[in-house]
Amino acid sequence: GVWTLSRDERAVILQANERFRVAVTPHYAALADPDDLMDPIRLQCVPSAGELVSYPFELDDPLAEEEHMPVPGLTHRYPDRALLYVSHNCPVYCRHCTRKRKVSRPETAASRSELRVALDHIRATPEIRDVILSGGDPLTLSDGRLDEILGELRTIPHVEVIRLGTRNPVTLPQRVTAELCDVLAKHAPLFIHTHFNHPAE
């Protein structure tokens, strides 16, 4: 059903939207009880007043991903694996996101030329055997663009494992089409990492 926002929710959304966008797909919204302000789906989507409070000990980059970024769009913290950011968009902007500094801000995503540099870094670093496509959500890219990126990774001999992290199976399951599956199958073996945060999902 349609959510009726409380007065407090409306007020917080107007303020929070300046710091981190609010977006919910119809599918994900439909999983919630529209009359329950404490519904677990709703709590992941609608900003709360606590989100507007910043404490001195808080970090913009709590996982220190930028600290281990040799080139834009690539975190290389562990010797044998790297995290490749291919998009900063998501179907749903989860309020608990640890990448609020850049997710929901498309202008901060690595450009096509920066992604080329990131792929070149992987190519030039034989220790990297495991690459995780992340973002944002990689499935916000077109099938063609995903095909290009996965194809590039498959040309790198020392990359043995390719993983893709996505919340689309719960936030936008319509994105998982036969055509997408055909693209992903071309680059098998490919490991899909997703996460469900509550039984309601």
Side-chain angles (χ1 to χ4, degrees), residues 23 87-94 97 103-104 135-137 140 168 171:
S87 171
H88 283 174
N89 294 318
C90 294
V92 172
Y93 292 122
C94 302
C97 183
V103 168
S104 91
D137 198 306
T140 59
N168 271 243
T171 59

Side-chain angles (χ1 to χ4, degrees), residues 82-83 129-134 137-139 146 150 153-154 159-167 169 181 183-195:
L83 191 63
R129 57 173 291 278
D130 181 352
V131 176
I132 307 159
L133 271 62
S134 190
D137 198 306
L139 294 191
L146 282 169
L150 291 168
L153 288 170
R154 278 288 171 232
V159 173
E160 301 170 22
V161 177
I162 300 176
R163 298 187 272 160
L164 188 152
T166 178
R167 283 263 286 157
C181 291
V183 166
L184 300 182
K186 280 175 59 178
H187 306 287
L190 181 68
F191 299 89
I192 306 297
H193 290 266
T194 188
H195 63 273

